[in-house]
Amino acid sequence: MVLGVEVAVAAAPTVVTCANGHRYYDEHQLLLLQQILVLRALGVGLPVIGRILSEQVDEVDALRGHHRRLLAERDRLDALAGTVSRTIAELEQSRKDGNPMTINRPENLFEGVQPSQYAENMSEFPELAEEVGRRAAAMSQADADAGHRERTAQMIRLAELMAAGNTADADPVQAEIDAQYRALARLRAVSAEEYRAIGRSCVDNDAWRTAYETIAPGLAAFQRDAIESYATARLH
């Protein structure tokens, strides 16, 4: 808090600064200083405070935006805490049973899936499904099988990171999610909210959840939480 006071004092205008370094304020400037301290205590950044004081941004609107960001961060931390709790419980049970977390490692989890089936599996995202369907129409089965093997390998790598005790926001996990997002973005631009919805579908969509849980228990929720962390930290 001392640092916050020093920053606020430095930001507030003064009537006069004496040779000994003491600053003197009139009543209006003391009110401004108090406002700066309150906004800093609420976690509002100095650039936003500057715009509020210059009346470029309404204080209530700025606080509403800050409140939305805080709620999003709270939800992200709640999701992460849930993932950590589940992982701890699974690891403790595995140690108690004397068995490590089981990870299935098929070469191609999606063997036999035809390119024409891609779009119907993404019916919740019509614009993305349309682009996927267009790409799939020009794709050979050999190309599709290569993609299936790579996607299976990605899921296995994520399961291994989960089993090793990494949280959903850990750097190695986020590197995997970044690669997934970039592959998706090559099809079309994907917003933060759309990517979050895709993450939720890993749990809510029965077919998707079954695929993840086939690799390792808890992997669907771990993928969802990792996407949530990625969207919050890197997509705006």
Side-chain angles (χ1 to χ4, degrees), residues 29-52:
Q29 290 162 336
L30 285 173
L31 289 173
L32 283 178
L33 177 60
Q34 183 180 38
Q35 186 180 17
I36 292 170
L37 289 171
V38 169
L39 291 169
R40 287 296 291 160
L42 292 172
V44 179
L46 284 176
V48 176
I49 292 175
R51 292 196 294 274
I52 290 172

Side-chain angles (χ1 to χ4, degrees), residues 18-212:
C18 295
N20 60 8
H22 292 171
R23 294 165 176 255
Y24 292 88
Y25 302 87
D26 62 20
E27 183 177 356
H28 172 69
Q29 290 162 336
L30 285 173
L31 289 173
L32 283 178
L33 177 60
Q34 183 180 38
Q35 186 180 17
I36 292 170
L37 289 171
V38 169
L39 291 169
R40 287 296 291 160
L42 292 172
V44 179
L46 284 176
V48 176
I49 292 175
R51 292 196 294 274
I52 290 172
L53 296 182
S54 64
E55 298 183 351
Q56 294 177 5
V57 176
D58 180 73
E59 183 176 15
V60 173
D61 288 341
L63 287 174
R64 283 198 182 107
H66 184 56
H67 184 239
R68 286 194 296 270
R69 289 189 291 274
L70 289 173
L71 290 177
E73 179 66 7
R74 181 198 65 186
D75 292 344
R76 184 183 73 84
L77 291 174
D78 284 346
L80 286 176
T83 298
V84 172
S85 178
R86 288 191 299 272
T87 302
I88 289 171
E90 289 167 0
L91 290 173
E92 285 179 340
Q93 187 61 48
S94 295
R95 290 175 181 176
K96 187 183 298 183
D97 297 341
N99 298 317
M101 182 185 292
T102 301
I103 299 176
N104 293 318
R105 294 178 170 83
E107 180 182 357
N108 182 358
L109 180 64
F110 308 99
E111 187 172 1
V113 175
Q114 304 294 317
S116 59
Q117 296 175 262
Y118 294 170
E120 65 186 66
N121 289 331
M122 303 191 72
S123 58
E124 298 170 46
F125 311 98
E127 292 183 7
L128 188 58
E130 181 179 352
E131 180 59 27
V132 168
R134 189 179 68 81
R135 297 288 185 97
M139 185 181 293
S140 69
Q141 188 62 48
D143 290 336
D145 289 341
H148 295 161
R149 286 192 292 271
E150 173 55 28
R151 182 68 188 117
T152 301
Q154 288 177 346
M155 295 168 72
I156 292 171
R157 288 197 300 270
L158 201 63
E160 290 171 340
L161 291 170
M162 179 181 71
N166 288 280
T167 57
D169 64 343
D171 288 344
V173 175
Q174 290 298 293
E176 288 290 335
I177 300 302
D178 181 59
Q180 293 177 20
Y181 177 79
R182 290 177 184 277
L184 193 60
R186 283 195 290 270
L187 297 177
R188 61 176 289 275
V190 178
S191 68
E193 284 308 310
E194 188 173 22
Y195 200 40
R196 286 189 176 99
I198 290 172
R200 291 192 295 270
S201 290
C202 295
V203 174
D204 298 338
N205 182 297
D206 289 341
W208 292 19
R209 184 178 65 253
T210 298
Y212 281 99

